[in-house]
Amino acid sequence: MMISPDMFIEQIKNATYMELIKERKRLIRTISKYEKDEISEDHSGPEWLIRPSPDVRYQMYLEYLSELCSFMCQKYNEEYVHGERKLSEDAKAQK
């Protein structure tokens, strides 16, 4: 069962900005894979047998991505533009 975009954001609201970047990349990879498979009409993978169907998951992932980008913009402004943090320092600390 898929969760609402609001619940998706609720689940990640305490994530670090670097973790949000990783989640955004994961969503984009998943969305891109669906688009590639759909364009090539390749419905042979096991994901096509799972419910909700890939097209429903695709639509939800697009909504998640939209909400995530909005949330990231807000968090970036709070922590990096108006706050004391530096994205370059956080990225180095993550390595």
Side-chain angles (χ1 to χ4, degrees):
M1 180 158 80
M2 305 290 301
I3 60 174
S4 71
D6 291 335
M7 281 300 295
F8 172 75
I9 295 300
E10 185 67 27
Q11 288 181 348
I12 61 171
K13 73 178 183 181
N14 294 321
T16 67
Y17 195 78
M18 298 307 294
E19 290 169 334
L20 296 176
I21 289 172
K22 287 181 182 179
E23 182 62 20
R24 184 188 62 204
K25 288 179 181 180
R26 185 191 70 80
L27 284 170
I28 290 171
R29 273 193 313 271
T30 303
I31 289 166
S32 296
K33 181 178 180 339
Y34 171 83
E35 291 168 345
K36 178 183 171 203
D37 291 347
E38 187 63 18
I39 288 168
S40 68
E41 296 182 347
D42 179 8
H43 299 166
S44 62
E47 65 273 7
W48 291 90
L49 302 173
I50 300 170
R51 298 289 180 242
S53 63
D55 58 329
V56 170
R57 290 193 309 267
Y58 172 73
Q59 292 170 36
M60 290 304 299
Y61 292 148
L62 287 173
E63 289 188 39
Y64 294 166
L65 181 60
S66 173
E67 292 295 321
L68 175 60
C69 288
S70 179
F71 180 68
M72 287 177 74
C73 183
Q74 180 182 23
K75 189 167 183 121
Y76 183 82
N77 282 329
E78 290 171 3
E79 294 182 4
Y80 297 98
V81 175
H82 303 294
E84 299 293 321
R85 300 182 72 166
K86 292 193 182 296
L87 192 56
S88 60
E89 291 174 3
D90 287 352
K92 287 177 189 174
Q94 183 123 18
K95 289 182 179 181

